[in-house]
Amino acid sequence: MSLKELARHVGLSSPSVSERLRRLEERDVIRGYTLELNPKALGYQFQAIVRIRPLPGQLKAVQELIAGTPEFCECDKVTGEDCFVARLHLQSLEQLDGILDRIAARAETNTSIVKAQTIPRRLPPFAAR
C-alpha cells in the first residue's frame, strides 16, 4: 500500500503517516516490510516440519547446519525433548533424504510432511495497553 493510500485509509495526511511510521520503526514496533511469495509457484511442492534433537556436544554444529541449508525457511529453538523445530520447503520428497542425511550424524530427527496449512502465519491480536 502506498503512503498516500495508507494516509487516506486512516484519515491523516501523508506527512503525519510518514512521521508515525518512522517512530514505530525506531521503537521496533515495525521491524520491516515484506513480500510474500507462494513456494509452490517457485517449484516447492512439499513442506515438512522437522523436530531436531542434537547429539551431546553438537548443538552449535546442528544450528549451523540448519542455518546453512536454504530449504529450511524457518526454525525455532524450543524447550522440551527437541532443541529445534524447523520448516522445510521441498521440490520433491526425495530431496528430504539428502537434507536429513547431512544432519543425521549430529542429531536425531522426527519429520512430518505438511498436508495442509490450516492457519497461515499471522500476527497475534493487538493487545490494548
Side-chain angles (χ1 to χ4, degrees):
M1 175 181 299
S2 72
L3 192 59
K4 184 177 180 179
E5 188 179 346
L6 179 59
R8 185 174 52 250
H9 184 74
V10 297
L12 296 170
S13 69
S14 290
S16 293
V17 169
S18 180
E19 177 61 24
R20 287 177 186 213
L21 285 174
R22 184 188 61 73
R23 287 195 316 256
L24 289 169
E25 290 165 353
E26 287 174 354
R27 291 187 2 233
D28 198 32
V29 174
I30 295 176
R31 291 185 172 174
Y33 303 89
T34 186
L35 171 70
E36 185 177 340
L37 298 174
N38 179 352
K40 287 188 177 186
L42 301 174
Y44 294 95
Q45 299 304 310
F46 302 96
Q47 288 184 54
I49 305 296
V50 185
R51 295 191 338 259
I52 303 166
R53 182 184 309 170
L55 298 173
Q58 297 296 312
L59 182 73
K60 184 176 180 183
V62 169
Q63 188 168 337
E64 290 171 356
L65 274 170
I66 294 167
T69 304
E71 290 83 2
F72 281 110
C73 62
E74 55 184 85
C75 180
D76 296 311
K77 193 173 192 179
V78 298
T79 61
E81 292 186 20
D82 303 314
C83 289
F84 301 104
V85 176
R87 182 179 295 266
L88 278 168
H89 285 286
L90 304 161
Q91 293 174 330
S92 67
L93 290 179
E94 293 78 21
Q95 187 181 14
L96 179 62
D97 287 333
I99 293 169
L100 294 180
D101 286 347
R102 290 195 302 267
I103 296 173
R106 299 181 182 271
E108 296 176 8
T109 62
N110 186 306
T111 304
S112 299
I113 301 299
V114 176
K115 293 180 2 179
Q117 192 172 22
T118 56
I119 299 174
R121 179 178 286 259
R122 62 185 177 189
L123 293 172
F126 292 104
R129 286 186 161 198

